[in-house]
Amino acid sequence: AQSVTQLGSHVSVSEGALVLLRCNYSSSVPPYLFWYVQYPNQGLQLLLKYTSAATLVKGINGFEAEFKKSETSFHLTKPSAHMSDAAEYFCAVISDTGRRALTFGSGTRLQVQP
Amino acid sequence: DGGITQSPKYLFRKEGQNVTLSCEQNLNHDAMYWYRQDPGQGLRLIYYSQIVNDFQKGDIAEGYSVSREKKESFPLTVTSAQKNPTAFYLCASSIGGSSGNTIYFGEGSWLTVV
């Protein structure tokens, strides 16, 4: 079975500071990994995904994530936080074997202080 | 515009009633999914379908039912057997094939028991 752990249900940063949201996964087969963002009362929007092409993945809105197999991690970063980044962020895992549906972490709510 | 349409946005259910949430996509996607979102618990998979006339249970299928008679439609029925249905429900779809293909989400439906 696959699983995702997101450390920190709430993260608060100052505007302009580094954003780091942590995601660790468990998978017995090569995984595909995703980061989604959710604004209040809305659906999920894809930020970026890892599909084995490159370990450093760049996404929308200046976010990027690095796949580290040895650490089973896929942490999300952004060099400089903006007020508009305040939202909930979800990490998810899926593979080409077994259940063909995303398994999500419990989410991290990002607050950006002025 | 291409996308995933969920309706209604807000729905109220009386005790003992069945209700159906609609999900329609015009993206020509083969795979469709239903997730339930509760605060602090991330998204949990209810049902998914990889192809028309076929679907599989997810982690929390009890008290729910689905059908997939048409490629573009994947309605979710919340039955009276679901004892705690108040939640945000998200429908999603993907082109299918590789699990690395992006899964897109609708805007969600709020269901409240009154």
Side-chain angles (χ1 to χ4, degrees), chain A:
Chain A
Q2 297 173 316
S3 65
V4 171
T5 301
Q6 291 185 239
L7 293 176
S9 58
H10 290 84
V11 170
S12 183
V13 300
S14 298
E15 192 172 19
L18 171 72
V19 175
L20 170 62
L21 304 183
R22 298 180 186 275
C23 172
N24 287 88
Y25 70 92
S26 173
S27 177
S28 58
V29 296
Y32 300 107
L33 294 158
F34 297 75
W35 275 101
Y36 284 88
V37 61
Q38 185 181 36
Y39 298 99
N41 292 327
Q42 294 185 21
L44 276 65
Q45 179 183 8
L46 180 70
L47 278 177
L48 49 81
K49 63 180 181 180
Y50 166 75
T51 59
S52 77
T55 57
L56 182 62
V57 181
K58 295 186 184 298
I60 63 171
N61 301 339
F63 284 94
E64 63 180 38
E66 186 172 8
F67 174 72
K68 292 187 177 180
K69 185 178 179 180
S70 61
E71 299 177 7
T72 61
S73 69
F74 190 56
H75 302 330
L76 182 70
T77 62
K78 182 174 180 177
S80 176
H82 191 272
M83 296 297 290
S84 61
D85 295 326
E88 188 145 25
Y89 292 80
F90 292 95
C91 183
V93 64
I94 192 173
S95 70
D96 279 328
T97 60
R99 188 171 79 180
R100 303 285 294 275
L102 288 169
T103 298
F104 284 87
S106 56
T108 297
R109 183 166 298 279
L110 176 67
Q111 289 183 313
V112 182
Q113 308 290 343

Side-chain angles (χ1 to χ4, degrees), chain B residues 68-83:
Chain B
R68 187 84 190 278
E69 298 175 359
K70 298 186 295 183
K71 186 176 185 178
E72 61 269 24
S73 178
F74 193 40
L76 174 73
T77 296
V78 185
T79 75
S80 57
Q82 172 49 241
K83 297 307 179 187

Side-chain angles (χ1 to χ4, degrees), chain B residues 24-51:
Chain B
E24 303 277 334
Q25 54 95 1
N26 60 4
L27 300 168
N28 199 31
H29 283 174
D30 285 314
M32 297 187 74
Y33 313 83
W34 274 106
Y35 286 88
R36 170 177 170 147
Q37 186 176 18
D38 296 279
Q41 295 192 45
L43 280 74
R44 293 181 290 168
L45 182 67
I46 305 173
Y47 272 98
Y48 66 107
S49 168
Q50 295 291 316
I51 198 168

Side-chain angles (χ1 to χ4, degrees), chain B residues 1-6 23-29 32 72 91 93 104-107:
Chain B
D1 287 344
I4 302 169
T5 301
Q6 290 189 239
C23 179
E24 303 277 334
Q25 54 95 1
N26 60 4
L27 300 168
N28 199 31
H29 283 174
M32 297 187 74
E72 61 269 24
C91 179
S93 72
Y104 297 90
F105 284 81
E107 290 296 302

